[in-house]
Structures are given as structure tokens and as C-alpha cells.
Amino acid sequence: MDLNIIKIGSNVLTDKNGGISKNIIKNLCNAIAKQHNKHKFVIISSGAACAGKEIASNLVTEKNPSIKKRMLVAIGQPLLTNIFSNTFMLNGINIAQILVERRNLSEKKTYIEFRDTLNGLINNSIIPILNENDVMTPVEWKFGENDHLATLVAIALKAKRLIICTDVDGLFSDDPRLNKKAKKIDTVKNITKDLHLMAKSSSSGVGLGGMISKIQAVKLAIDSGIESYIINGNNKNAIHDVLNNRCIGTKFVAKKRDLKNYQRWLAAGAHTYGQIIIDEGAKQALIKRKSLLMVGVKGVNGEFKEGDVVDIVDTGKTIIGVGIANYNTKQIKTYFKRPNKSNLKEVIHCDELVLM
């Protein structure tokens, strides 16, 4: 059975008053339950803060907005999980709750433990429901929004589909709430700069991640070989239609790419210890799936050891990939100045790097 990662945003789960809509959750759970004998699922769910605010906003007198939000998340997370659990149990399905931090994916050991635990739950017909650990996670270890978390989970688990449920019918040429002439885009084969501009002009409800964050998350997913969808989570038939190849939202066509396990770890958020700056010739070589040679290195940033994961950066300071360095910082600074580099091994082997 194929694996589907379903991300449900706060804008889908909340009602007009900003509270959690049990009917929407019920509809989503029932739609997933009907497909549970044919497909596997992992759910990434936002909405904990909204659930907490609904019952405790008048009780929490904390003035610091950051602390207050964490308090409301702590109150709302078990309430939200309980709604999912009770609804799925009516369909004979058990769930598991996992709160995730970016550092859980950054180190290879914890990444493998995370991945294997999820696979164990899935293989036992239990649906994992994930959310970022907003109560305990420091800013530097945050995913930013659950769209990105959903993509990294999809990559780690070799999912077939990433399905992002929002409160609009897909990606539009403009914000459909403000422009009635905005047209929905049914299929996207390549995410271009123009598409990014469209996403910036489109909105997406009350959640932290707007449409642009969804496009950024989807780009990483399809570049990793995962077909992706943006659909209206309020539509009872939307998930069923996607799983039966009748998407009425926006479908993003996956690239043909089969990443190795450690490449999936690199793509799914491995912690980087520095940067290797490369020239345009080396960049084009990497695009052609070749290794990074010393002749293409222009400089380094940070201090890293042989075997550490590093960012690969072009001369425009854009991170274009990540890889495992075969030399440490001092060696690269010494070697790339040499006139003869032909006797040196690759700085990063093509099998140990991933372009983003």
C-alpha cells in the first residue's frame, strides 16, 4: 500500500469564531478511514493553539505573548489529539501522537529512530499524528511551519503523496478572495519564479504558513520524487478524489528521482556545520549529477570536520544543496589554492550530496 502524508492547516480545522470545528475533523477522519484498507497515512495537524484558546483564553492571564501562546498550545494539544482519537476509534483505527523538533531530524541517529518508529506504527495500521513541539522547541530549532515538517516527513518515509489541506481549492493565479477572476491552476509540472509570485499574491487563512510556504514545501517534495497536492480540506470528497486520481485541487507532478536512504536524511533536515562556496561551473556539474571537485571551490564558511554535513552555496550566496565533506575546513582552504588539484579526491562525492 502506498503512503500518504496529509497536512491539515489551522485554517481548515477552525470555525468562523476561531474555535476547533469537530465536524471538519470528523469529515477528514472519516474520509481517511474509508481509504485505510487501501492506503497508509501520516497526518501533520496544526490547530493546538486554537484548541487551547477556545477553552482557556479567558483563564490565561499571562502578558508575554510568546509565553501565552506556548501555554495555549500546551492546553490545546491533548484536546485536539483527543478529538482525532475519538473520531478514528469510531472507525476502529488507533492513532499515535508525536511532537517533533527540527533537531530530531538533524542528527543521523535520532533521524533513524524517528523514521523507524513512524514506520513501525504505520506497519501496524496505527495512524501517527504529528505536530511541531511548539511548547519546548527553541526558535533556532523550529521548522517554521507545518508545511515544511510535512515535506521532510514525506521524504524520510519515502511517501508516494504529500497532500496539503487548506481552505482554498488549490493554487490560483491571484487571491480568489479578492479577485473573482483569479483562475485555479489544475496541474503544475515545474515551479517557476512566476509561480512563486502567484503564491505570494494568494492567501491561506489563519495559519502561520501562507500559500508561498506551501509552494516552497511542495517544491522540495516534488524534487525528491513525491507527487504533491494542494486541496480544499473542507471538501468532503477531496482526499478520496486525490487517492483515486481525480484531483480537483492543484496537482504538482513529481520529478523522477530515487534517493538513497542517507540522501533522504540529507534532504530531510540534516544539521549542517558550515558552507562550501562553489563557482558556476561546479554548480552546473552538480546539476548534471557529477561530484564536487576542488577546482570548483571558491571558499568556505564555518568550521567543519571530514565527514560533516555542509551546505553547498553558489556565488550568489544561495544554498543549492547539502552534502558530506571529504575534507575539513583547514584542508579545503589549503588545497583549493593549489595550481594542481588533479590528485585530490572529490570534495563531495555525487552519491553523498542532494540538490535542494
Side-chain angles (χ1 to χ4, degrees):
M1 294 192 290
D2 56 52
L3 176 61
N4 302 274
I5 309 301
I6 299 182
K7 186 266 178 176
I8 307 171
S10 301
N11 44 1
V12 176
L13 298 178
T14 51
D15 56 27
K16 294 180 180 179
N17 299 317
I20 295 297
S21 173
K22 292 182 180 180
N23 284 334
I24 290 294
I25 294 179
K26 179 182 177 181
N27 291 338
L28 288 166
C29 291
N30 288 341
I32 293 169
K34 289 178 181 178
Q35 301 291 325
H36 196 227
N37 62 336
K38 300 177 183 178
H39 304 275
K40 298 176 182 179
F41 296 96
V42 172
I43 296 173
I44 315 294
S45 175
S46 304
C50 296
K53 185 177 181 181
E54 185 176 7
I55 70 159
S57 59
N58 294 330
L59 303 176
V60 176
T61 58
E62 173 61 49
K63 301 299 182 182
N64 184 305
S66 178
I67 295 174
K68 184 173 183 178
K69 181 179 179 181
R70 293 199 294 270
M71 292 171 66
L72 292 175
V73 169
I75 294 167
Q77 191 66 58
L79 299 174
L80 182 63
T81 303
N82 192 50
I83 297 172
F84 273 106
S85 179
N86 290 339
T87 308
F88 272 120
M89 286 186 71
L90 293 174
N91 292 281
I93 298 171
N94 291 313
I95 69 163
Q97 180 193 38
I98 301 176
L99 299 179
V100 191
E101 298 179 15
R102 183 65 182 261
R103 61 183 130 194
N104 299 139
L105 302 179
S106 65
E107 299 296 339
K108 195 168 185 179
K109 182 177 183 295
T110 52
Y111 163 82
I112 292 172
E113 291 172 348
F114 170 78
R115 180 200 66 193
D116 291 350
T117 300
L118 285 177
N119 278 327
L121 291 167
I122 294 164
N123 292 335
N124 282 276
S125 298
I126 297 168
I127 296 180
I129 298 183
L130 281 64
N131 192 8
E132 182 163 21
N133 189 349
D134 289 319
V135 177
M136 299 300 295
T137 306
V139 173
E140 62 269 22
W141 285 109
K142 284 187 172 292
F143 290 99
E145 67 281 320
N146 276 340
D147 299 315
H148 192 52
L149 169 59
T151 296
L152 299 185
V153 171
I155 294 170
L157 299 181
K158 302 181 183 180
K160 180 176 181 180
R161 301 181 189 88
L162 168 65
I163 303 172
I164 297 178
C165 298
T166 184
D167 61 344
V168 292
D169 292 332
L171 176 64
F172 283 77
S173 58
D174 198 359
D175 190 334
R177 296 180 179 90
L178 303 176
N179 182 0
K180 294 182 179 179
K181 295 183 179 180
K183 295 182 179 179
K184 183 172 70 70
I185 302 170
D186 295 327
T187 304
V188 174
K189 293 184 178 180
N190 292 295
I191 295 180
T192 62
K193 290 182 179 179
D194 289 341
L195 204 71
H196 274 278
L197 293 174
M198 286 183 190
K200 286 181 179 179
S201 67
S202 298
S203 65
S204 180
V206 301
L208 176 63
M211 189 59 73
I212 185 62
S213 80
K214 292 168 177 50
I215 294 301
Q216 291 168 342
V218 163
K219 186 179 189 309
L220 180 55
I222 62 174
D223 285 349
S224 301
I226 301 166
E227 63 184 64
S228 303
Y229 302 82
I230 295 177
I231 63 173
N232 193 329
N234 295 304
N235 184 328
K236 293 182 179 180
N237 298 317
I239 291 176
H240 176 272
D241 288 344
V242 167
L243 297 177
N244 288 276
N245 299 313
R246 296 193 300 270
C247 177
I248 58 174
T250 299
K251 176 180 179 179
F252 298 82
V253 180
K255 310 296 184 184
K256 292 183 179 180
R257 195 173 186 189
D258 185 21
L259 298 178
K260 298 178 175 64
N261 280 333
Y262 55 84
Q263 288 178 319
R264 290 185 179 278
W265 168 58
L266 291 172
H271 178 66
T272 56
Y273 292 87
Q275 295 181 336
I276 295 178
I277 305 164
I278 65 173
D279 61 23
E280 184 61 27
K283 180 178 178 179
Q284 293 305 316
L286 297 187
I287 291 172
K288 295 176 182 178
R289 301 288 187 263
K290 294 183 179 180
S291 298
L292 175 60
L293 305 179
M294 195 67 73
V295 69
V297 175
K298 303 296 291 183
V300 292
N301 289 321
E303 295 291 332
F304 51 86
K305 305 186 298 294
E306 178 184 347
D308 280 347
V309 180
V310 295
D311 290 316
I312 303 168
V313 182
D314 65 17
T315 53
K317 298 182 180 181
T318 299
I319 297 175
I320 63 169
V322 292
I324 300 174
N326 287 323
Y327 296 96
N328 62 38
T329 303
K330 185 177 179 180
Q331 288 172 321
I332 293 177
K333 285 182 177 179
T334 300
Y335 292 155
F336 79 74
K337 294 178 182 179
R338 288 183 178 181
N340 183 9
K341 307 178 180 70
S342 60
N343 62 335
L344 299 175
K345 64 181 178 181
E346 302 95 343
V347 180
I348 301 177
H349 191 274
C350 59
D351 286 341
E352 296 184 338
L353 66 84
V354 176
L355 297 183
M356 310 302 287

